[in-house]
Amino acid sequence: MFALITFVGFTALVALISWLKTRGDNVSTKEGYFLAGRGLSGVVICGSLMMTNLSAEQLVGRNGQGYAAGMTAMGWEAICPIALTLMALFFLPRYLKLGVTTIPEFLETRYDRKTRVLVSFIFLVAYIVTMLPLVLYSGSVVMEQIFGVSELLGTDRFVGITLMCVALGVIGGIYAIFGGLKAVAVSDSLNGVIFIAGAALLVPILAFVALGDGSLLEGVRAFAFHTPKGHLNSISPVDALPPYIPWPMMLIGCTINHVSYYCTNQSIMQRVLGAKSLAEAQKGSLLSGILLVFCPLFLVVPGIIAFVMSGGGLPSFDQAYPWLLLQILPKPLVGFFAAVMFGAILSSFNSVLNSSMTMFTLDVLPVFSGKKRDDLQLIRLAKRFGIILCLLSIAIAPFLMYLPAGISTFLNQMWGYYGVPVLAVAVMGMLNRRVPNIAPKVTIAVHIVCYGLMMRLLPNVHFLYFETASFVIDIVLLALFAKFYPRPAAYELRTDQSAIDMTPWKYRYPVIAVTFAVMAGMYALFSPIGLAR
């Protein structure tokens, strides 16, 4: 009962503060509802980026990878600063100059409306089928175990997870559908504070204490000197398979995956496109980059500790994190940590949901309906679409418990189908002014076929090799179109300088230098020249 009271108290506090911070905001216009009136600060953007990325599927899935493969899983976060640096220095100046609301809108300015609709449709399908249900499912796995829903109701685990999916989907939908981006971003920042106190600090400390039989220092010593060396080595062989990351793919494959995720993914970019200035957008993205370097300490290390404590005997590596929580959390803290998980789940779910509503309303709907609508009518339609998405996600999510692969591996594999070709189309659209309008449609179709065939015909090769190879094919194909079927007139970047202040952040380069130094240090620590000797 105490756990339930604590959980409800923390969750209600976040909801109350979010309401107080946003009750006077104008959400009756497109910019007010979808982009928070272009008024987000760097700190809020940083918090929202972190909480959009770090949800239950990361805590459960990434620690599951740590349980199975050790520190090699750190590549999914520790390499992210490369992508966020490219976002700050290359992508953001171009997006913000155009004053676009969505990434598909940018693609329309560069190519044509058909490209915008195609990419919007691809992302919407991907969000509905993978991202939204995965967030609900992974969160429900943890929440169901924390509160013992199945045992409490005397039902099987599927029913317990289904009930949690319904609860999480309904509450997450309320934030995104009725509050707009500002409510999402503010609640993300508040949940971020609780997340840092709980998942980022409390769980690793308690895990080390448990490993050291009550002593934090002994736990750290045991982790460093008694963990199997293979689990402390972030460098994996060339032919390693998931959940390992082959060492050539740490920089190449992971970077392609990360840049596509951070720089062309609407659910991520929407936070940054809502910035009040280029400086604040760069500040938010670069600060989140340096924080992500430290994420393996709570996204991978607890999974390794679970491996050591359990002797590697768990039936599924995605059960590692929930199992560890039940071993280390004192009962008075169960409710607090449930609130941490709840906030992380909502942050990712409502962020993706808000982005889906934005793309449907601004990118897809105008193509299928020529009717002129004012901002209030568009927002009403967006809310109705959001409700439909919530219901679809809730219906799909429980069945993901039957996935043959781990949560994180499945999500990253699926991202290769739709995220990587969109990155190629966007980058070549910026770098080569002669790429014609037909090129993106052909390239995306060829990419999906090639990537799917590679996945099907070469099951014993890591999927990051396929993402890299198909990305190269995309770039070559787009370049061939530009050479042999060039655009009649070279593309000129239309600018909307009046949207926001385009002065860059003056501390961007020092922050980048510090981030990359820390990233190199982390990899040296978890390598054969460090703890894995």
Side-chain angles (χ1 to χ4, degrees):
M1 180 58 70
F2 179 78
L4 183 60
I5 293 172
T6 308
F7 165 70
V8 172
F10 275 105
T11 304
L13 180 62
V14 171
L16 176 62
I17 296 174
S18 298
W19 176 74
L20 291 174
K21 295 283 287 183
T22 60
R23 60 178 175 169
D25 293 332
N26 181 10
V27 292
S28 61
T29 66
K30 286 191 296 184
E31 285 207 345
Y33 185 78
F34 295 117
L35 285 181
R38 295 192 189 271
L40 298 182
S41 67
V43 173
V44 171
I45 290 169
C46 175
S48 191
L49 283 175
M50 292 294 293
M51 292 306 295
T52 300
N53 181 55
L54 301 176
S55 184
E57 82 275 8
Q58 298 291 338
L59 286 170
V60 175
R62 197 71 72 233
N63 276 295
Q65 290 180 325
Y67 174 90
M71 290 306 299
T72 184
M74 68 185 279
W76 292 115
E77 268 70 42
I79 300 295
C80 286
I82 298 175
L84 288 158
T85 298
L86 289 172
M87 176 198 285
L89 302 183
F90 180 76
F91 289 92
L92 280 178
R94 290 164 173 80
Y95 289 152
L96 294 176
K97 277 183 180 179
L98 285 166
V100 296
T101 306
T102 67
I103 302 305
E105 183 182 351
F106 161 74
L107 295 176
E108 180 181 9
T109 66
R110 173 55 184 88
Y111 297 105
D112 57 14
R113 172 153 289 206
K114 291 180 181 178
T115 302
R116 176 178 184 173
V117 174
L118 174 63
V119 171
S120 298
F121 180 77
I122 289 172
F123 273 120
L124 282 175
V125 171
Y127 289 167
I128 294 168
V129 175
T130 59
M131 293 188 72
L132 288 170
L134 269 174
V135 171
L136 287 184
Y137 167 71
S138 55
S140 298
V141 169
V142 179
M143 299 293 285
E144 192 272 337
Q145 289 200 28
I146 287 177
F147 290 113
V149 176
S150 301
E151 292 82 2
L152 185 65
L153 299 178
T155 63
D156 60 25
R157 187 163 171 261
F158 179 82
V159 174
I161 288 176
T162 300
L163 292 174
M164 291 308 305
C165 286
V166 173
L168 294 175
V170 170
I171 298 174
I174 290 172
Y175 270 101
I177 295 169
F178 299 104
L181 180 61
K182 181 68 175 291
V184 170
V186 171
S187 65
D188 282 353
S189 299
L190 296 171
N191 285 322
V193 175
I194 301 176
F195 184 91
I196 291 171
L201 296 177
L202 182 64
V203 170
I205 289 173
L206 291 178
F208 280 122
V209 169
L211 189 62
D213 293 324
S215 170
L216 176 63
L217 292 179
E218 285 301 316
V220 173
R221 186 191 303 274
F223 178 83
F225 297 107
H226 299 297
T227 299
K229 296 305 178 184
H231 266 63
L232 296 180
N233 188 7
S234 62
I235 313 299
S236 297
V238 173
D239 59 350
L241 294 174
Y244 294 88
I245 301 175
W247 69 262
M249 291 295 100
M250 284 194 312
L251 281 178
I252 303 171
C254 281
T255 295
I256 291 173
N257 186 285
H258 293 159
V259 175
S260 66
Y261 178 77
Y262 279 98
C263 302
T264 59
N265 178 7
Q266 180 63 26
S267 67
I268 292 293
M269 284 304 306
Q270 191 159 343
R271 279 102 207 88
V272 194
L273 295 177
K276 64 174 67 174
S277 66
L278 174 61
E280 293 298 318
Q282 291 178 325
K283 182 192 299 183
S285 59
L286 294 176
L287 289 179
S288 65
I290 195 168
L291 291 176
L292 280 168
V293 177
F294 296 100
C295 285
L297 298 179
F298 60 87
L299 285 181
V300 182
V301 168
I304 297 175
I305 294 175
F307 175 83
V308 176
M309 290 177 60
S310 68
L314 298 180
S316 166
F317 54 80
D318 279 337
Q319 293 182 19
Y321 195 69
W323 179 87
L324 181 68
L325 294 181
L326 295 178
Q327 308 305 310
I328 66 174
L329 282 180
K331 290 194 180 298
L333 292 178
V334 170
F336 168 74
F337 193 78
V340 172
M341 288 300 299
F342 192 68
I345 297 159
L346 291 188
S347 293
S348 280
F349 183 76
N350 59 28
S351 295
V352 177
L353 184 60
N354 181 269
S355 298
S356 301
M357 292 158 56
T358 304
M359 285 191 294
F360 171 77
T361 307
L362 302 184
D363 296 328
V364 176
L365 182 63
V367 175
F368 293 98
S369 174
K371 181 181 177 181
K372 294 292 183 181
R373 294 179 174 88
D374 59 28
D375 287 1
L376 284 175
Q377 290 174 318
L378 288 174
I379 292 169
R380 256 196 313 271
L381 286 171
K383 291 178 178 179
R384 292 172 185 170
F385 182 70
I387 292 171
I388 294 172
L389 283 190
C390 273
L391 296 175
L392 286 173
S393 301
I394 292 170
I396 295 171
F399 295 96
L400 297 182
M401 69 180 292
Y402 301 111
L403 278 177
I407 294 170
S408 291
T409 298
F410 174 77
L411 186 60
N412 286 315
Q413 287 175 335
M414 292 302 100
W415 187 256
Y417 277 104
Y418 52 88
V420 173
V422 173
L423 172 64
V425 167
V427 169
M428 284 297 286
M430 295 174 183
L431 296 179
N432 192 320
R433 298 189 299 161
R434 290 289 183 177
V435 177
N437 295 346
I438 187 62
K441 294 89 160 175
V442 176
T443 299
I444 290 172
V446 169
H447 174 97
I448 292 173
V449 172
C450 289
Y451 182 76
L453 286 174
M454 293 177 192
M455 292 282 288
R456 179 71 176 174
L457 300 177
L458 301 171
N460 294 321
V461 178
H462 201 287
F463 68 88
L464 282 176
Y465 286 111
F466 303 152
E467 289 191 9
T468 302
S470 55
F471 179 75
V472 171
I473 292 172
D474 297 342
I475 296 296
V476 170
L477 186 57
L478 290 163
L480 290 174
F481 267 106
K483 181 175 178 60
F484 295 106
Y485 302 98
R487 182 188 177 105
Y491 168 73
E492 295 294 336
L493 180 68
R494 173 182 61 81
T495 59
D496 184 7
Q497 297 282 2
S498 62
I500 58 171
D501 179 12
M502 292 299 296
T503 305
W505 188 36
K506 62 180 178 179
Y507 298 115
R508 62 194 184 281
Y509 293 117
V511 170
I512 291 170
V514 170
T515 302
F516 277 73
V518 174
M519 182 172 68
M522 285 283 286
Y523 266 96
L525 178 64
F526 295 104
S527 75
I529 66 173
L531 294 178
R533 283 183 295 185

